[in-house]
Amino acid sequence: MKLMILSLCFLVACPKASPPETPDEQEAPAVAEVPEEAGVDSNLIIGQQFWSWYAEENFQAIFDNSSPDVQQALTVETWQGLSQQIAGAFGAEVEVIGEEVTPHQDLFIYARTSKFETNHLLSTFVFSSDGLLQGAQFVPAPVIAESRFLDY
């Protein structure tokens, strides 16, 4: 049996690019709206927004909300190709098993484990405090085998 591992990983922690010189060049990218409800982790919502854009194939929004280094490495066409590979290998998402955000230095790591039609997938989006994507990774998620010996 051939095991296919799809991985797109590009992590950088670089300073944000300076804004364009003239106001005409500035265009506001789509951003996640964070409700100001008690107990809502705004970083979780940002991570969920990246996943939502990916699932809806809104790769332009991902690109627009990426750091300049990520934009150079991961074009809209790259995202489209990755999405097609994952859909071909895993099928459609059928269930979210879990999701979490973990802070790491000045970055946040959003990890989502999902059950797809043929396998489990671990999707990771890494973003900075200003909400810019710094990296992404998609790999088959490990699945713990059932065992009668795990309760000892």
Side-chain angles (χ1 to χ4, degrees), residues 58-145:
N58 187 353
F59 306 120
Q60 188 64 51
I62 295 174
F63 182 83
D64 291 344
N65 288 278
S66 297
S67 70
D69 287 336
V70 172
Q71 288 178 342
Q72 285 183 335
L74 306 176
T75 64
V76 172
E77 292 78 19
T78 304
W79 283 105
Q80 290 169 340
L82 174 70
S83 176
Q84 291 170 356
Q85 287 180 4
I86 290 175
F90 291 86
E93 183 181 46
V94 295
E95 177 185 356
V96 177
I97 296 171
E99 58 183 355
E100 66 181 1
V101 171
T102 306
H104 178 71
Q105 297 176 359
D106 61 342
L107 301 174
F108 297 93
I109 303 167
Y110 169 76
R112 176 187 184 104
T113 304
S114 302
K115 180 179 179 183
F116 279 68
E117 292 172 336
T118 63
N119 203 346
H120 291 75
L121 183 71
L122 173 60
S123 306
T124 307
F125 292 92
V126 180
F127 54 93
S128 53
S129 59
D130 58 0
L132 289 178
L133 185 68
Q134 302 295 325
Q137 182 177 26
F138 302 87
V139 295
V143 179
I144 299 174

Side-chain angles (χ1 to χ4, degrees), residues 4 8 11-12 18 22 35 40 51 65 74 77 83 89 98 115 138:
M4 178 185 289
L8 171 66
L11 298 175
V12 287
S18 58
T22 63
V40 174
W51 172 258
N65 288 278
L74 306 176
E77 292 78 19
S83 176
K115 180 179 179 183
F138 302 87

